[in-house]
Amino acid sequence: MRRRRYLALAGTSLTTLGGCLSDTGTDAGESSTPTSQSTTETSPPTEDTATPTANRSVSVRFDALQPALVRLNTDAFYIDTGDSSSLFLDIRVDGDPLSRDEFSFALAGESHAPWSEETANRFFRFDDREGYSTESGTGLLVFELPRGVDPPLPEATLQWPDGEWSPDDELRRRLGAAPPELSLSVDAPGTLEVGTAPSFRLSVTNEGNVPGRFIAGLNRSGLKYASYALEKFSTLVPDGETTTIEYTDESITGEEVATEARGDGEHDVEYDFVTVRGTIGQDIAYDAPET
């Protein structure tokens, strides 16, 4: 038996969930198997190389614009959101180095500094991407930017002492708009036969008129763990379209459930999809073996 649950998403609401939460995360270990959170957008990359002097060239590529961040607190993912969006830019400096604090992002007449190295390192330790390093001259810069600025197509530039980069009109339109409304439905099993891994189908619909990024974390409880940070999702959804995400938790098959606990009317494992709007939970029970 499969069940479908729905949730309307917006980019401005905080998520609250049970479990162990703290101000800082810990190194990823046995309790989590995260994947990269900042995934390159599917729209054509915007790139420009500035060579104002013979001693340095700077390449900039748009990576992602996210309404929230999925963070890890010991053994559970949670959503870190507020009144800002996070802009990820992939930087490469060849020649004379540039430090992190020599970059700034100007949006609608206001200048914004990138994340500090300390903040970036705390976030990127859970991902396969790296924050910008002065030594290597490569990596991601992250800027916290206001939502819904005037005008709707604002002036926007990444600036450094001897050059600048400007995003294309599509990204400027997204920077000027509030994150679009997204609706989420989760198709998940209610019961399973022993030997079957739980599979899920997420359908995310963009109700707005600009592309939007779907952000979520998946936590699991039951069996060996009171809380287990299982997976992170970061997917661009074009305006007016629906994107489908398939996910299977191949780490369990029901063999872990004690024989006497199968088919007892109680759920054996619980999954929580944590989003910017709230949490969709799904209990799953394994059937008793046939006799």
Side-chain angles (χ1 to χ4, degrees), residues 18 58 83 99 102 108 113 122 136 142 178 226 252:
V58 181
D83 296 328
S99 64
E102 290 182 278
R122 186 168 67 246
S136 67
V142 185
I252 64 170

Side-chain angles (χ1 to χ4, degrees), residues 54-78:
N55 298 325
R56 177 167 55 219
S57 66
V58 181
S59 298
V60 181
R61 184 173 58 83
F62 169 49
D63 184 77
L65 179 64
Q66 300 188 175
L69 300 170
V70 180
R71 294 190 184 273
L72 176 67
N73 272 297
T74 307
D75 53 8
F77 288 130
Y78 76 104

Side-chain angles (χ1 to χ4, degrees), residues 48-286:
D48 188 20
T49 301
T51 55
T53 71
N55 298 325
R56 177 167 55 219
S57 66
V58 181
S59 298
V60 181
R61 184 173 58 83
F62 169 49
D63 184 77
L65 179 64
Q66 300 188 175
L69 300 170
V70 180
R71 294 190 184 273
L72 176 67
N73 272 297
T74 307
D75 53 8
F77 288 130
Y78 76 104
I79 297 293
D80 182 356
T81 186
D83 296 328
S84 60
S85 294
S86 299
L87 173 66
F88 291 74
L89 296 177
D90 201 348
I91 310 297
R92 180 181 181 89
V93 178
D94 293 308
D96 291 346
L98 284 170
S99 64
R100 178 187 298 270
D101 59 11
E102 290 182 278
F103 289 95
S104 63
F105 195 87
L107 177 64
E110 295 189 3
S111 181
H112 304 270
W115 273 1
S116 68
E117 186 172 4
E118 178 183 0
T119 301
N121 288 341
R122 186 168 67 246
F123 170 70
F124 287 110
R125 71 171 60 174
F126 304 120
D127 295 296
D128 57 8
R129 308 295 298 278
E130 296 292 337
Y132 178 79
S133 164
T134 303
E135 289 73 21
S136 67
T138 61
L140 291 171
L141 287 177
V142 185
F143 297 87
E144 295 297 312
L145 302 176
R147 297 168 171 164
V149 300
D150 289 323
L153 192 65
E155 292 298 321
T157 55
L158 176 70
Q159 302 172 345
W160 55 93
D162 51 7
E164 64 179 28
W165 168 88
S166 297
D168 63 14
D169 285 352
E170 179 178 331
L171 178 53
R172 289 172 58 205
R173 188 163 60 95
R174 290 179 63 189
L175 289 168
E181 292 283 343
L182 305 176
S183 61
L184 168 68
S185 69
V186 177
D187 185 26
T191 58
L192 286 173
E193 295 180 359
V194 172
T196 305
S199 62
F200 305 88
R201 180 182 298 108
L202 285 67
S203 298
V204 186
T205 300
N206 185 339
E207 315 272 355
N209 57 8
V210 294
R213 181 159 283 273
F214 168 71
I215 302 293
L218 176 59
N219 298 315
R220 189 184 75 200
S221 59
L223 301 179
K224 295 181 180 180
Y225 303 98
S227 181
Y228 186 99
L230 191 63
E231 184 63 276
K232 292 189 289 185
F233 303 92
S234 177
T235 301
L236 182 69
V237 185
D239 47 309
E241 296 187 16
T242 298
T243 295
T244 300
I245 304 168
E246 304 277 352
Y247 177 76
T248 299
D249 180 11
E250 297 180 350
S251 65
I252 64 170
T253 61
E255 301 289 348
E256 306 85 349
V257 180
T259 301
E260 61 272 18
R262 301 170 187 170
D264 62 357
E266 301 290 333
H267 73 269
D268 300 304
V269 63
E270 179 181 349
Y271 291 86
D272 288 317
F273 291 90
V274 186
T275 76
V276 298
R277 192 64 165 178
T279 299
I280 289 184
Q282 177 61 54
D283 297 339
I284 296 177
Y286 277 92

